[in-house]
Amino acid sequence: MIRLANADDAAAICAIYNRYVLNTTISFEDTTVRAPAMAERISAVFAAGLPWYVCEEDGVILGYAYASPWRTRHAYRFSVEISAYVSPERKLSGIGSQLYAHLIDDLQQRGMHSVIAGISLPNPASVALHEKFGMTKVAHFKEVGFKFGRWIDVGYWEKQL
């Protein structure tokens, strides 16, 4: 079941996200996020008039996807950055696609014009997910992140809705 997130989901979202923080270069954070901070992030997304979805099965959160403002200047108000994270045990199960389908449909209904996604590289699964939804690579920044003792490239994908 795909539904809008709420503050009560923060701990379950942290359980998914923090595994990426601690074990991968998918997130550039290097310290775990606690539930109160995640609840604030969820609240900030909703306060910006944007959606945050979770995929739940038998009361367990399996993944989430959300949109956040691309930039703060007023002219950017119709452009958002999107992100999705799926429980590592359920990667490549279609949950990311289900979440993005809901998220992108919601963003279209809200009148958003552009969706943008930053992807640490290499990350073929994330690239495939974003390209499945018609996003195209528009930028590649070399060695802009440093984690686990190595430099990491970041690519950006975009789509006009």
Side-chain angles (χ1 to χ4, degrees):
M1 172 177 72
I2 307 291
R3 63 169 175 79
L4 288 170
N6 61 63
D8 293 337
D9 299 322
I13 289 170
C14 284
I16 294 169
Y17 182 64
N18 287 335
R19 292 171 69 188
Y20 288 94
V21 169
L22 293 173
N23 301 302
T24 76
T25 59
I26 291 171
S27 167
F28 279 10
E29 292 193 73
D30 56 5
T31 57
T32 58
V33 178
R34 299 186 60 163
M38 189 61 75
E40 289 178 14
R41 292 179 187 190
I42 295 167
S43 178
V45 164
F46 288 134
L50 297 169
W52 186 310
Y53 285 99
V54 295
C55 176
E56 182 179 33
E57 182 178 273
D58 298 325
V60 177
I61 304 292
L62 303 175
Y64 64 95
Y66 64 96
S68 56
W70 168 241
R71 295 278 189 255
T72 59
R73 301 279 193 268
H74 188 68
Y76 291 116
R77 69 190 176 279
F78 298 108
S79 298
V80 294
E81 185 167 6
I82 60 174
S83 297
Y85 290 87
V86 175
S87 176
E89 296 83 19
R90 298 299 292 268
K91 283 182 75 171
L92 304 176
S93 65
I95 291 171
S97 293
Q98 292 173 43
L99 285 161
Y100 262 7
H102 273 80
L103 181 66
I104 291 170
D105 181 59
D106 187 324
L107 293 169
Q108 286 177 313
Q109 291 179 29
R110 292 172 192 249
M112 292 297 113
H113 180 70
S114 295
V115 292
I116 301 161
I119 303 172
S120 60
L121 300 172
N123 188 340
S126 187
V127 169
L129 173 65
H130 290 85
E131 290 181 352
K132 176 180 180 177
F133 284 90
M135 298 182 79
T136 58
K137 188 175 183 182
V138 294
H140 188 123
F141 299 101
K142 294 185 179 288
E143 299 182 355
V144 294
F146 189 80
K147 188 173 179 182
F148 302 138
R150 66 182 178 95
W151 290 103
I152 304 153
D153 293 0
V154 173
Y156 275 88
W157 276 253
E158 76 171 347
K159 176 183 177 171
Q160 278 68 55
L161 300 178

